[in-house]
Amino acid sequence: MRVAFLVAPEGVEQVELTEPWKAVGNAGGEPVLVSTAEGEVQAFHHLDKADTFPVDRTVSGTTAADYDALVLPGGVANPDALRTDGTAVSLVKGFFSAGKPVAAICHAPWTLIEADVVRGRTLTSWPSLRTDLRNAGATWVDEQVKVCTAAPGTLITSRKPDDLNAFCTAFLKEFTA
């Protein structure tokens, strides 16, 4: 199981990257850090700078065909930056077009909205995205984790860092099915 973790060069919520990353590794998978630029990504603990992590691949040098699944960590700035990068949005669309599972937590569904892949799906997120998701054609629910199989490719979503255990359990089940 090779899993892409797509993040912007800065702004990812560190725990939303590191906990799913560990879960994939502990399950025997290969997590791959993909970003829009080479070098390192700057993670955050909410609004404070945290650790940096080396980028394995850039979005311009990879495709959905290279992976079995995709994880989109949150943080407010991270998905906001990703949704303005056409290559990142195309990569996300590629996972859905290929019917591969995608997991997104917290603010990460902003990138899914930009990729136009939430229409007709039911998902959860940080509460402030509720209206954005509804306007994009999704049904929003306030649940710890939501697994949606309404279209090609399973979509697993969670609301916030407190949901990480349920999020990781749910996406690993889908990624290894």
Side-chain angles (χ1 to χ4, degrees), residues 58-93:
T58 63
V59 292
S60 62
T62 196
T63 69
D66 297 327
Y67 309 96
D68 300 303
L70 172 66
V71 173
L72 294 167
V76 177
N78 175 51
D80 194 48
L82 288 176
R83 69 183 176 164
T84 64
D85 186 291
T87 308
V89 172
S90 291
L91 180 62
V92 171
K93 284 182 181 181

PDB file of all heavy atoms in Angstrom, residues 58-93:
ATOM      1  N   THR A  58       7.152  15.973  -5.936  1.00  0.00           N
ATOM      2  CA  THR A  58       6.330  17.157  -6.195  1.00  0.00           C
ATOM      3  C   THR A  58       5.125  16.744  -7.034  1.00  0.00           C
ATOM      4  O   THR A  58       5.168  15.715  -7.727  1.00  0.00           O
ATOM      5  CB  THR A  58       7.112  18.263  -6.931  1.00  0.00           C
ATOM      6  OG1 THR A  58       7.507  17.764  -8.209  1.00  0.00           O
ATOM      7  CG2 THR A  58       8.315  18.725  -6.117  1.00  0.00           C
ATOM      8  N   VAL A  59       4.075  17.549  -6.980  1.00  0.00           N
ATOM      9  CA  VAL A  59       2.866  17.220  -7.736  1.00  0.00           C
ATOM     10  C   VAL A  59       3.152  17.161  -9.232  1.00  0.00           C
ATOM     11  O   VAL A  59       2.527  16.371  -9.945  1.00  0.00           O
ATOM     12  CB  VAL A  59       1.699  18.187  -7.442  1.00  0.00           C
ATOM     13  CG1 VAL A  59       1.194  18.013  -6.034  1.00  0.00           C
ATOM     14  CG2 VAL A  59       2.068  19.615  -7.723  1.00  0.00           C
ATOM     15  N   SER A  60       4.097  17.959  -9.687  1.00  0.00           N
ATOM     16  CA  SER A  60       4.413  17.954 -11.121  1.00  0.00           C
ATOM     17  C   SER A  60       5.174  16.696 -11.534  1.00  0.00           C
ATOM     18  O   SER A  60       5.249  16.394 -12.717  1.00  0.00           O
ATOM     19  CB  SER A  60       5.212  19.201 -11.494  1.00  0.00           C
ATOM     20  OG  SER A  60       6.448  19.214 -10.806  1.00  0.00           O
ATOM     21  N   GLY A  61       5.711  15.957 -10.568  1.00  0.00           N
ATOM     22  CA  GLY A  61       6.487  14.762 -10.892  1.00  0.00           C
ATOM     23  C   GLY A  61       5.820  13.458 -10.502  1.00  0.00           C
ATOM     24  O   GLY A  61       6.497  12.437 -10.355  1.00  0.00           O
ATOM     25  N   THR A  62       4.482  13.483 -10.337  1.00  0.00           N
ATOM     26  CA  THR A  62       3.802  12.267  -9.917  1.00  0.00           C
ATOM     27  C   THR A  62       2.365  12.275 -10.414  1.00  0.00           C
ATOM     28  O   THR A  62       1.848  13.309 -10.829  1.00  0.00           O
ATOM     29  CB  THR A  62       3.867  12.122  -8.376  1.00  0.00           C
ATOM     30  OG1 THR A  62       3.552  10.794  -8.011  1.00  0.00           O
ATOM     31  CG2 THR A  62       2.947  13.098  -7.663  1.00  0.00           C
ATOM     32  N   THR A  63       1.744  11.098 -10.400  1.00  0.00           N
ATOM     33  CA  THR A  63       0.335  10.972 -10.789  1.00  0.00           C
ATOM     34  C   THR A  63      -0.362  10.033  -9.819  1.00  0.00           C
ATOM     35  O   THR A  63       0.295   9.295  -9.061  1.00  0.00           O
ATOM     36  CB  THR A  63       0.174  10.407 -12.212  1.00  0.00           C
ATOM     37  OG1 THR A  63       0.588   9.032 -12.214  1.00  0.00           O
ATOM     38  CG2 THR A  63       0.975  11.201 -13.239  1.00  0.00           C
ATOM     39  N   ALA A  64      -1.662  10.002  -9.866  1.00  0.00           N
ATOM     40  CA  ALA A  64      -2.438   9.092  -9.021  1.00  0.00           C
ATOM     41  C   ALA A  64      -2.074   7.639  -9.299  1.00  0.00           C
ATOM     42  O   ALA A  64      -2.157   6.793  -8.407  1.00  0.00           O
ATOM     43  CB  ALA A  64      -3.933   9.319  -9.229  1.00  0.00           C
ATOM     44  N   ALA A  65      -1.636   7.343 -10.505  1.00  0.00           N
ATOM     45  CA  ALA A  65      -1.269   5.966 -10.868  1.00  0.00           C
ATOM     46  C   ALA A  65      -0.095   5.448 -10.036  1.00  0.00           C
ATOM     47  O   ALA A  65       0.095   4.229  -9.921  1.00  0.00           O
ATOM     48  CB  ALA A  65      -0.931   5.886 -12.353  1.00  0.00           C
ATOM     49  N   ASP A  66       0.675   6.351  -9.428  1.00  0.00           N
ATOM     50  CA  ASP A  66       1.838   5.954  -8.629  1.00  0.00           C
ATOM     51  C   ASP A  66       1.470   5.485  -7.225  1.00  0.00           C
ATOM     52  O   ASP A  66       2.335   5.032  -6.477  1.00  0.00           O
ATOM     53  CB  ASP A  66       2.808   7.142  -8.491  1.00  0.00           C
ATOM     54  CG  ASP A  66       3.376   7.597  -9.826  1.00  0.00           C
ATOM     55  OD1 ASP A  66       3.563   6.752 -10.711  1.00  0.00           O
ATOM     56  OD2 ASP A  66       3.613   8.812  -9.973  1.00  0.00           O
ATOM     57  N   TYR A  67       0.182   5.602  -6.833  1.00  0.00           N
ATOM     58  CA  TYR A  67      -0.234   5.342  -5.451  1.00  0.00           C
ATOM     59  C   TYR A  67      -1.508   4.504  -5.402  1.00  0.00           C
ATOM     60  O   TYR A  67      -2.270   4.441  -6.364  1.00  0.00           O
ATOM     61  CB  TYR A  67      -0.484   6.676  -4.712  1.00  0.00           C
ATOM     62  CG  TYR A  67       0.668   7.620  -4.848  1.00  0.00           C
ATOM     63  CD1 TYR A  67       0.672   8.611  -5.819  1.00  0.00           C
ATOM     64  CD2 TYR A  67       1.792   7.490  -4.028  1.00  0.00           C
ATOM     65  CE1 TYR A  67       1.756   9.464  -5.974  1.00  0.00           C
ATOM     66  CE2 TYR A  67       2.883   8.337  -4.180  1.00  0.00           C
ATOM     67  CZ  TYR A  67       2.851   9.316  -5.154  1.00  0.00           C
ATOM     68  OH  TYR A  67       3.930  10.149  -5.313  1.00  0.00           O
ATOM     69  N   ASP A  68      -1.736   3.942  -4.225  1.00  0.00           N
ATOM     70  CA  ASP A  68      -2.957   3.181  -3.981  1.00  0.00           C
ATOM     71  C   ASP A  68      -4.043   4.040  -3.342  1.00  0.00           C
ATOM     72  O   ASP A  68      -5.228   3.696  -3.417  1.00  0.00           O
ATOM     73  CB  ASP A  68      -2.654   1.994  -3.061  1.00  0.00           C
ATOM     74  CG  ASP A  68      -1.622   1.062  -3.678  1.00  0.00           C
ATOM     75  OD1 ASP A  68      -1.872   0.578  -4.796  1.00  0.00           O
ATOM     76  OD2 ASP A  68      -0.560   0.848  -3.054  1.00  0.00           O
ATOM     77  N   ALA A  69      -3.655   5.132  -2.689  1.00  0.00           N
ATOM     78  CA  ALA A  69      -4.602   5.976  -1.963  1.00  0.00           C
ATOM     79  C   ALA A  69      -3.987   7.347  -1.717  1.00  0.00           C
ATOM     80  O   ALA A  69      -2.779   7.542  -1.898  1.00  0.00           O
ATOM     81  CB  ALA A  69      -4.981   5.316  -0.638  1.00  0.00           C
ATOM     82  N   LEU A  70      -4.848   8.281  -1.263  1.00  0.00           N
ATOM     83  CA  LEU A  70      -4.430   9.652  -0.996  1.00  0.00           C
ATOM     84  C   LEU A  70      -4.941  10.091   0.364  1.00  0.00           C
ATOM     85  O   LEU A  70      -6.098   9.834   0.703  1.00  0.00           O
ATOM     86  CB  LEU A  70      -5.015  10.588  -2.062  1.00  0.00           C
ATOM     87  CG  LEU A  70      -4.859  12.097  -1.862  1.00  0.00           C
ATOM     88  CD1 LEU A  70      -3.390  12.519  -1.931  1.00  0.00           C
ATOM     89  CD2 LEU A  70      -5.682  12.858  -2.896  1.00  0.00           C
ATOM     90  N   VAL A  71      -4.072  10.767   1.134  1.00  0.00           N
ATOM     91  CA  VAL A  71      -4.472  11.410   2.388  1.00  0.00           C
ATOM     92  C   VAL A  71      -4.259  12.913   2.224  1.00  0.00           C
ATOM     93  O   VAL A  71      -3.197  13.353   1.784  1.00  0.00           O
ATOM     94  CB  VAL A  71      -3.665  10.888   3.594  1.00  0.00           C
ATOM     95  CG1 VAL A  71      -3.978  11.706   4.851  1.00  0.00           C
ATOM     96  CG2 VAL A  71      -3.945   9.409   3.843  1.00  0.00           C
ATOM     97  N   LEU A  72      -5.294  13.670   2.591  1.00  0.00           N
ATOM     98  CA  LEU A  72      -5.227  15.128   2.584  1.00  0.00           C
ATOM     99  C   LEU A  72      -5.338  15.628   4.017  1.00  0.00           C
ATOM    100  O   LEU A  72      -6.433  15.710   4.573  1.00  0.00           O
ATOM    101  CB  LEU A  72      -6.369  15.707   1.742  1.00  0.00           C
ATOM    102  CG  LEU A  72      -6.322  15.400   0.251  1.00  0.00           C
ATOM    103  CD1 LEU A  72      -7.641  15.756  -0.405  1.00  0.00           C
ATOM    104  CD2 LEU A  72      -5.165  16.130  -0.404  1.00  0.00           C
ATOM    105  N   PRO A  73      -4.194  15.944   4.656  1.00  0.00           N
ATOM    106  CA  PRO A  73      -4.242  16.526   5.997  1.00  0.00           C
ATOM    107  C   PRO A  73      -4.799  17.945   5.925  1.00  0.00           C
ATOM    108  O   PRO A  73      -4.796  18.576   4.865  1.00  0.00           O
ATOM    109  CB  PRO A  73      -2.778  16.537   6.444  1.00  0.00           C
ATOM    110  CG  PRO A  73      -2.065  15.614   5.503  1.00  0.00           C
ATOM    111  CD  PRO A  73      -2.829  15.686   4.217  1.00  0.00           C
ATOM    112  N   GLY A  74      -5.225  18.458   7.065  1.00  0.00           N
ATOM    113  CA  GLY A  74      -5.802  19.796   7.107  1.00  0.00           C
ATOM    114  C   GLY A  74      -4.836  20.867   7.541  1.00  0.00           C
ATOM    115  O   GLY A  74      -3.667  20.877   7.156  1.00  0.00           O
ATOM    116  N   GLY A  75      -5.346  21.747   8.394  1.00  0.00           N
ATOM    117  CA  GLY A  75      -4.703  23.008   8.678  1.00  0.00           C
ATOM    118  C   GLY A  75      -5.425  24.014   7.802  1.00  0.00           C
ATOM    119  O   GLY A  75      -5.866  23.671   6.700  1.00  0.00           O
ATOM    120  N   VAL A  76      -5.593  25.219   8.242  1.00  0.00           N
ATOM    121  CA  VAL A  76      -6.349  26.190   7.448  1.00  0.00           C
ATOM    122  C   VAL A  76      -5.577  26.606   6.195  1.00  0.00           C
ATOM    123  O   VAL A  76      -6.121  26.610   5.095  1.00  0.00           O
ATOM    124  CB  VAL A  76      -6.719  27.431   8.293  1.00  0.00           C
ATOM    125  CG1 VAL A  76      -7.440  28.468   7.452  1.00  0.00           C
ATOM    126  CG2 VAL A  76      -7.573  27.027   9.476  1.00  0.00           C
ATOM    127  N   ALA A  77      -4.314  26.961   6.332  1.00  0.00           N
ATOM    128  CA  ALA A  77      -3.539  27.480   5.201  1.00  0.00           C
ATOM    129  C   ALA A  77      -3.201  26.406   4.177  1.00  0.00           C
ATOM    130  O   ALA A  77      -3.119  26.689   2.980  1.00  0.00           O
ATOM    131  CB  ALA A  77      -2.252  28.136   5.704  1.00  0.00           C
ATOM    132  N   ASN A  78      -3.010  25.169   4.613  1.00  0.00           N
ATOM    133  CA  ASN A  78      -2.600  24.084   3.729  1.00  0.00           C
ATOM    134  C   ASN A  78      -3.600  23.849   2.579  1.00  0.00           C
ATOM    135  O   ASN A  78      -3.236  23.975   1.411  1.00  0.00           O
ATOM    136  CB  ASN A  78      -2.369  22.819   4.566  1.00  0.00           C
ATOM    137  CG  ASN A  78      -2.053  21.610   3.752  1.00  0.00           C
ATOM    138  OD1 ASN A  78      -1.174  21.622   2.901  1.00  0.00           O
ATOM    139  ND2 ASN A  78      -2.790  20.548   3.997  1.00  0.00           N
ATOM    140  N   PRO A  79      -4.854  23.507   2.861  1.00  0.00           N
ATOM    141  CA  PRO A  79      -5.770  23.270   1.747  1.00  0.00           C
ATOM    142  C   PRO A  79      -6.112  24.542   0.970  1.00  0.00           C
ATOM    143  O   PRO A  79      -6.426  24.480  -0.217  1.00  0.00           O
ATOM    144  CB  PRO A  79      -7.016  22.670   2.405  1.00  0.00           C
ATOM    145  CG  PRO A  79      -6.930  23.075   3.818  1.00  0.00           C
ATOM    146  CD  PRO A  79      -5.477  23.208   4.147  1.00  0.00           C
ATOM    147  N   ASP A  80      -6.028  25.698   1.639  1.00  0.00           N
ATOM    148  CA  ASP A  80      -6.276  26.942   0.933  1.00  0.00           C
ATOM    149  C   ASP A  80      -5.208  27.150  -0.138  1.00  0.00           C
ATOM    150  O   ASP A  80      -5.516  27.583  -1.253  1.00  0.00           O
ATOM    151  CB  ASP A  80      -6.316  28.111   1.912  1.00  0.00           C
ATOM    152  CG  ASP A  80      -6.911  29.358   1.283  1.00  0.00           C
ATOM    153  OD1 ASP A  80      -7.988  29.256   0.656  1.00  0.00           O
ATOM    154  OD2 ASP A  80      -6.299  30.431   1.419  1.00  0.00           O
ATOM    155  N   ALA A  81      -3.964  26.833   0.169  1.00  0.00           N
ATOM    156  CA  ALA A  81      -2.887  26.942  -0.821  1.00  0.00           C
ATOM    157  C   ALA A  81      -3.026  25.874  -1.900  1.00  0.00           C
ATOM    158  O   ALA A  81      -2.838  26.157  -3.094  1.00  0.00           O
ATOM    159  CB  ALA A  81      -1.527  26.829  -0.138  1.00  0.00           C
ATOM    160  N   LEU A  82      -3.371  24.648  -1.513  1.00  0.00           N
ATOM    161  CA  LEU A  82      -3.497  23.574  -2.498  1.00  0.00           C
ATOM    162  C   LEU A  82      -4.584  23.854  -3.521  1.00  0.00           C
ATOM    163  O   LEU A  82      -4.430  23.562  -4.702  1.00  0.00           O
ATOM    164  CB  LEU A  82      -3.776  22.232  -1.806  1.00  0.00           C
ATOM    165  CG  LEU A  82      -2.624  21.613  -1.037  1.00  0.00           C
ATOM    166  CD1 LEU A  82      -3.090  20.348  -0.329  1.00  0.00           C
ATOM    167  CD2 LEU A  82      -1.433  21.321  -1.947  1.00  0.00           C
ATOM    168  N   ARG A  83      -5.696  24.435  -3.082  1.00  0.00           N
ATOM    169  CA  ARG A  83      -6.805  24.641  -4.013  1.00  0.00           C
ATOM    170  C   ARG A  83      -6.531  25.727  -5.034  1.00  0.00           C
ATOM    171  O   ARG A  83      -7.262  25.863  -6.012  1.00  0.00           O
ATOM    172  CB  ARG A  83      -8.102  24.901  -3.259  1.00  0.00           C
ATOM    173  CG  ARG A  83      -8.181  26.211  -2.522  1.00  0.00           C
ATOM    174  CD  ARG A  83      -9.489  26.306  -1.757  1.00  0.00           C
ATOM    175  NE  ARG A  83      -9.541  27.523  -0.978  1.00  0.00           N
ATOM    176  CZ  ARG A  83     -10.655  28.013  -0.466  1.00  0.00           C
ATOM    177  NH1 ARG A  83     -11.792  27.380  -0.645  1.00  0.00           N
ATOM    178  NH2 ARG A  83     -10.625  29.116   0.235  1.00  0.00           N
ATOM    179  N   THR A  84      -5.460  26.491  -4.849  1.00  0.00           N
ATOM    180  CA  THR A  84      -5.078  27.499  -5.843  1.00  0.00           C
ATOM    181  C   THR A  84      -3.994  26.985  -6.785  1.00  0.00           C
ATOM    182  O   THR A  84      -3.561  27.720  -7.674  1.00  0.00           O
ATOM    183  CB  THR A  84      -4.592  28.798  -5.164  1.00  0.00           C
ATOM    184  OG1 THR A  84      -3.401  28.523  -4.422  1.00  0.00           O
ATOM    185  CG2 THR A  84      -5.663  29.373  -4.252  1.00  0.00           C
ATOM    186  N   ASP A  85      -3.573  25.742  -6.613  1.00  0.00           N
ATOM    187  CA  ASP A  85      -2.532  25.147  -7.451  1.00  0.00           C
ATOM    188  C   ASP A  85      -3.192  24.140  -8.397  1.00  0.00           C
ATOM    189  O   ASP A  85      -3.634  23.068  -7.965  1.00  0.00           O
ATOM    190  CB  ASP A  85      -1.487  24.462  -6.570  1.00  0.00           C
ATOM    191  CG  ASP A  85      -0.313  23.944  -7.378  1.00  0.00           C
ATOM    192  OD1 ASP A  85      -0.511  22.980  -8.157  1.00  0.00           O
ATOM    193  OD2 ASP A  85       0.799  24.468  -7.240  1.00  0.00           O
ATOM    194  N   GLY A  86      -3.262  24.472  -9.653  1.00  0.00           N
ATOM    195  CA  GLY A  86      -3.928  23.622 -10.640  1.00  0.00           C
ATOM    196  C   GLY A  86      -3.376  22.212 -10.727  1.00  0.00           C
ATOM    197  O   GLY A  86      -4.131  21.254 -10.927  1.00  0.00           O
ATOM    198  N   THR A  87      -2.077  22.061 -10.570  1.00  0.00           N
ATOM    199  CA  THR A  87      -1.477  20.728 -10.646  1.00  0.00           C
ATOM    200  C   THR A  87      -1.890  19.885  -9.451  1.00  0.00           C
ATOM    201  O   THR A  87      -2.165  18.691  -9.596  1.00  0.00           O
ATOM    202  CB  THR A  87       0.067  20.844 -10.732  1.00  0.00           C
ATOM    203  OG1 THR A  87       0.398  21.746 -11.786  1.00  0.00           O
ATOM    204  CG2 THR A  87       0.704  19.504 -11.026  1.00  0.00           C
ATOM    205  N   ALA A  88      -1.956  20.494  -8.268  1.00  0.00           N
ATOM    206  CA  ALA A  88      -2.399  19.764  -7.074  1.00  0.00           C
ATOM    207  C   ALA A  88      -3.858  19.359  -7.219  1.00  0.00           C
ATOM    208  O   ALA A  88      -4.235  18.220  -6.894  1.00  0.00           O
ATOM    209  CB  ALA A  88      -2.199  20.621  -5.824  1.00  0.00           C
ATOM    210  N   VAL A  89      -4.683  20.264  -7.700  1.00  0.00           N
ATOM    211  CA  VAL A  89      -6.102  19.960  -7.899  1.00  0.00           C
ATOM    212  C   VAL A  89      -6.255  18.830  -8.920  1.00  0.00           C
ATOM    213  O   VAL A  89      -7.060  17.908  -8.727  1.00  0.00           O
ATOM    214  CB  VAL A  89      -6.873  21.228  -8.323  1.00  0.00           C
ATOM    215  CG1 VAL A  89      -8.304  20.888  -8.726  1.00  0.00           C
ATOM    216  CG2 VAL A  89      -6.852  22.258  -7.191  1.00  0.00           C
ATOM    217  N   SER A  90      -5.476  18.858  -9.979  1.00  0.00           N
ATOM    218  CA  SER A  90      -5.524  17.785 -10.991  1.00  0.00           C
ATOM    219  C   SER A  90      -5.111  16.443 -10.399  1.00  0.00           C
ATOM    220  O   SER A  90      -5.691  15.406 -10.745  1.00  0.00           O
ATOM    221  CB  SER A  90      -4.619  18.121 -12.176  1.00  0.00           C
ATOM    222  OG  SER A  90      -5.145  19.201 -12.892  1.00  0.00           O
ATOM    223  N   LEU A  91      -4.118  16.453  -9.518  1.00  0.00           N
ATOM    224  CA  LEU A  91      -3.699  15.214  -8.874  1.00  0.00           C
ATOM    225  C   LEU A  91      -4.842  14.640  -8.039  1.00  0.00           C
ATOM    226  O   LEU A  91      -5.125  13.446  -8.105  1.00  0.00           O
ATOM    227  CB  LEU A  91      -2.461  15.436  -8.003  1.00  0.00           C
ATOM    228  CG  LEU A  91      -1.924  14.218  -7.263  1.00  0.00           C
ATOM    229  CD1 LEU A  91      -1.484  13.120  -8.236  1.00  0.00           C
ATOM    230  CD2 LEU A  91      -0.768  14.600  -6.347  1.00  0.00           C
ATOM    231  N   VAL A  92      -5.507  15.488  -7.286  1.00  0.00           N
ATOM    232  CA  VAL A  92      -6.651  15.036  -6.485  1.00  0.00           C
ATOM    233  C   VAL A  92      -7.732  14.458  -7.394  1.00  0.00           C
ATOM    234  O   VAL A  92      -8.256  13.364  -7.145  1.00  0.00           O
ATOM    235  CB  VAL A  92      -7.198  16.192  -5.620  1.00  0.00           C
ATOM    236  CG1 VAL A  92      -8.509  15.786  -4.953  1.00  0.00           C
ATOM    237  CG2 VAL A  92      -6.165  16.603  -4.568  1.00  0.00           C
ATOM    238  N   LYS A  93      -8.068  15.159  -8.468  1.00  0.00           N
ATOM    239  CA  LYS A  93      -9.067  14.651  -9.419  1.00  0.00           C
ATOM    240  C   LYS A  93      -8.660  13.292  -9.966  1.00  0.00           C
ATOM    241  O   LYS A  93      -9.503  12.426 -10.182  1.00  0.00           O
ATOM    242  CB  LYS A  93      -9.232  15.627 -10.589  1.00  0.00           C
ATOM    243  CG  LYS A  93     -10.018  16.850 -10.281  1.00  0.00           C
ATOM    244  CD  LYS A  93     -10.155  17.705 -11.535  1.00  0.00           C
ATOM    245  CE  LYS A  93     -10.917  18.965 -11.264  1.00  0.00           C
ATOM    246  NZ  LYS A  93     -11.079  19.796 -12.472  1.00  0.00           N
TER     247      LYS A  93
END
